[in-house]
């Protein structure tokens, strides 16, 4: 087992399994050939061909697209094709910097292979030169990665919020980190992966932040999404990452990125180039 | 002018301009269609086709390949096709972790589009919370980027040295940083780019290191490669990066990576995703 096992777990992508999903001329996602036929019933919303799915061109506004897709998703949910409904709307756009063409329920994003975005916080405590990381154990009721280890704070990026504001909100809900502390979180880059998962196709960019947490602060969950917090030396966290899949698939990458940036992995590590490249797939 | 201008300056790649360069079944580089005919004269060393160049299969050992290529390069140098001869041998391999198949003069690496590797050091000084960066002005006699701004220490990665050992050596030669200080440099990741330059095709990975430099230390060049050192606030360095091309093309990326990792660029910057992705092309 190695860092590369965690990297490769986020690079399970067979292009032939998917067909592109278009809104007008813009490819906005990828849909599993096995799922696409379920969209054929919604003739006013989707046009399903052998090699592509198109949103109906008659849906000519953000609102019209959002409402039509929402109606279809409600039916697909009742049919059992969408699990883990969140009641959170996500933007659907070709890239983070291009305008969203509509918004859709978060749980459906991977089924349409639409790009997803999240904010992840590395909460660390310094004990002299030794770095400790706060690690959360996800609630067993979470629809994705129940019981898996995770960052102290992590959340999806919904529509209509700045990233930093979303991070501050998640800090409060997930770990009772007060806004004045959360505001000190430092943006440290992104990572990206493109991978097939049970829930569908994940084409995600994560925005990572580092926050030095005072030694006398203990996180406390308030939204029921975290069962337990641990404060472990980075060395121990990296050992868990290398030898188990106890961390949620994408949270492992966030830890590896942290370990790279903080010099915890030597440049002469035989997989160094592949590890860093593997954190940036798109 | 913007960070993206510096990123895009390192992404000038027209695939149609190049043909692959093979050693046996392994593609080891890319050669400009305009340069390939100059290799046709060396029939014992190169086989030049319309759509590929192959090293002669009779060259069946590392030493045989190295010697045959060296002989050809000597002639090409005399013909004026290779400028900026360094008398430094670089490994030629399909990737950093795969074995080198031969070694070749550094100045010829871009002509064959062979992957190149370098070590770059961000030498920074803390004044309270304010980060200052040491910046070097390259000697006007350097074959690449004469007079351009650069990291305090940067060098190519030759054959037969560990990265950290090479960095410590370059620290001594370029900036008189003593080994006991240089050893404290922290590896912080890689960046990569694939771009056409006047010298040929650059397909490079840079290994970046951060080193906090004491306030009372002043770098001093000993190998004639640096004309002058400046200590500037990171804010000022980033302004230069965004508004000029005074930095060497790849040194600008190293600064941008530093600015990203140290939280100097906000996650909500409109180009944030594209900037980070642009630092990791391979």
């Amino acid at each position: 087992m190695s860092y590369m096992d965690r990297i490769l777990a986020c690079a399970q992508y067979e292009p032939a399994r998917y067909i592109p999903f278009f809104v007008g001329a813009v490819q906005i996602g990828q849909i599993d050939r096995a799922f696409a036929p379920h969209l054929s019933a919604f003739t006013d919303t989707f046009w399903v061909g052998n090699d592509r799915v198109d949103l109906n061109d008659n849906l000519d506004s953000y609102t019209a697209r959002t409402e039509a897709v929402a109606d279809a998703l409600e039916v697909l949910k009742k049919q059992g094709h969408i699990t883990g409904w969140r009641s959170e709307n996500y933007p659907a756009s070709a890239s983070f910097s291009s305008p969203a063409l509509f918004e859709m329920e978060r749980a459906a994003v991977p089924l349409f292979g639409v790009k997803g975005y999240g904010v992840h916080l590395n909460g660390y405590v310094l004990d002299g030169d030794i770095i400790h990381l706060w690690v959360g154990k996800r609630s067993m009721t979470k629809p994705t990665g129940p019981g898996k280890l995770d960052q102290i704070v992590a959340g999806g990026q919904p529509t209509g919020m700045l990233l930093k504001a979303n991070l501050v909100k998640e800090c409060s809900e997930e770990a009772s980190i007060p806004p004045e502390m959360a505001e000190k979180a430092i943006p440290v880059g992104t990572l990206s992966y493109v991978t097939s998962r049970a829930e569908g196709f994940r084409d995600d960019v994560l925005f990572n932040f580092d926050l030095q947490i005072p030694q006398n602060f203990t996180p406390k969950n308030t939204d029921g999404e975290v069962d337990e917090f641990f404060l472990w030396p980075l060395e121990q966290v990296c050992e868990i990452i290398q030898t188990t899949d106890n961390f949620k698939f994408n949270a492992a990458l966030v830890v590896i990125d942290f370990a790279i940036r903080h010099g915890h992995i030597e440049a002469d590590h035989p997989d160094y180039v592949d590890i860093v490249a593997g954190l940036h797939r798109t």
Side-chain angles (χ1 to χ4, degrees), chain A:
Chain A
M1 304 274 268
S2 70
Y3 291 118
M4 283 309 292
D5 289 330
R6 303 289 86 73
I7 299 278
L8 294 173
C10 296
Q12 301 304 308
Y13 175 34
E14 301 160 60
R17 211 176 120 178
Y18 298 91
I19 54 178
F21 171 40
F22 283 91
V23 176
V26 180
Q27 185 184 339
I28 206 157
Q30 299 189 61
I31 297 178
D32 197 314
R33 288 178 184 278
F35 177 68
H38 300 301
L39 301 175
S40 303
F42 308 100
T43 48
D44 290 345
T45 307
F46 299 108
W47 182 86
V48 182
N50 279 333
D51 292 316
R52 59 187 286 161
V53 175
D54 286 84
L55 205 63
N56 191 320
D57 278 344
N58 292 336
L59 302 167
D60 59 0
S61 73
Y62 185 95
T63 305
R65 290 186 284 264
T66 298
E67 289 176 359
V69 170
D71 289 347
L73 295 183
E74 278 293 338
V75 176
L76 289 162
K77 177 172 73 161
K78 284 179 191 146
Q79 292 172 341
H81 295 303
I82 305 175
T83 55
W85 196 268
R86 311 284 190 100
S87 298
E88 278 180 51
N89 266 11
Y90 267 32
S93 59
S95 72
F96 194 71
S97 53
S98 55
L101 299 178
F102 63 95
E103 54 188 70
M104 71 193 304
E105 157 60 26
R106 176 176 179 179
V109 167
L111 287 173
F112 290 81
V114 165
K115 282 179 177 292
Y117 302 92
V119 291
H120 283 243
L121 181 72
N122 299 292
Y124 67 96
V125 176
L126 284 185
D127 181 8
D129 282 348
I130 308 294
I131 297 176
H132 290 66
L133 264 186
W134 277 107
V135 171
K137 183 168 176 291
R138 296 166 66 83
S139 161
M140 293 307 292
T141 65
K142 292 278 281 188
T144 56
K148 289 286 188 186
L149 300 177
D150 203 343
Q151 275 69 58
I152 182 174
V153 173
Q157 179 64 22
T159 46
M161 278 188 97
L162 288 176
L163 292 155
K164 189 67 177 277
N166 184 31
L167 181 77
V168 170
K169 177 184 79 71
E170 294 282 349
C171 278
S172 173
E173 292 173 2
E174 293 203 344
S176 303
I177 296 173
E180 61 273 19
M181 191 189 295
E183 290 283 357
K184 291 181 183 153
I186 294 169
V188 290
T190 61
L191 63 79
S192 59
Y193 50 86
V194 177
T195 197
S196 294
R197 302 276 307 163
E199 67 270 23
F201 185 68
R202 301 289 298 259
D203 183 359
D204 297 345
V205 175
L206 306 186
F207 295 82
N208 299 332
F209 294 79
D210 282 1
L211 176 62
Q212 186 178 345
I213 308 262
Q215 288 189 348
N216 62 1
F217 178 84
T218 302
K220 188 163 170 289
N221 180 251
T222 66
D223 62 3
E225 298 197 359
V226 186
D227 272 355
E228 203 173 352
F229 287 107
F230 308 99
L231 182 62
W232 287 329
L234 178 57
E235 183 77 33
Q236 181 180 345
V237 176
C238 287
E239 185 66 21
I240 292 170
I241 294 277
Q242 289 177 85
T243 59
T244 76
D245 62 357
N246 292 354
F247 268 85
K248 190 179 166 221
F249 73 106
N250 56 4
L253 299 196
V254 177
V255 171
I256 294 171
D257 177 72
F258 182 89
I260 287 281
R261 288 184 293 101
H262 288 265
H264 192 75
I265 304 177
E266 287 299 327
D268 287 297
H269 186 295
D271 296 330
Y272 199 75
V273 171
D274 295 331
I275 290 171
V276 180
L279 298 174
H280 303 277
R281 292 291 183 188
T282 57

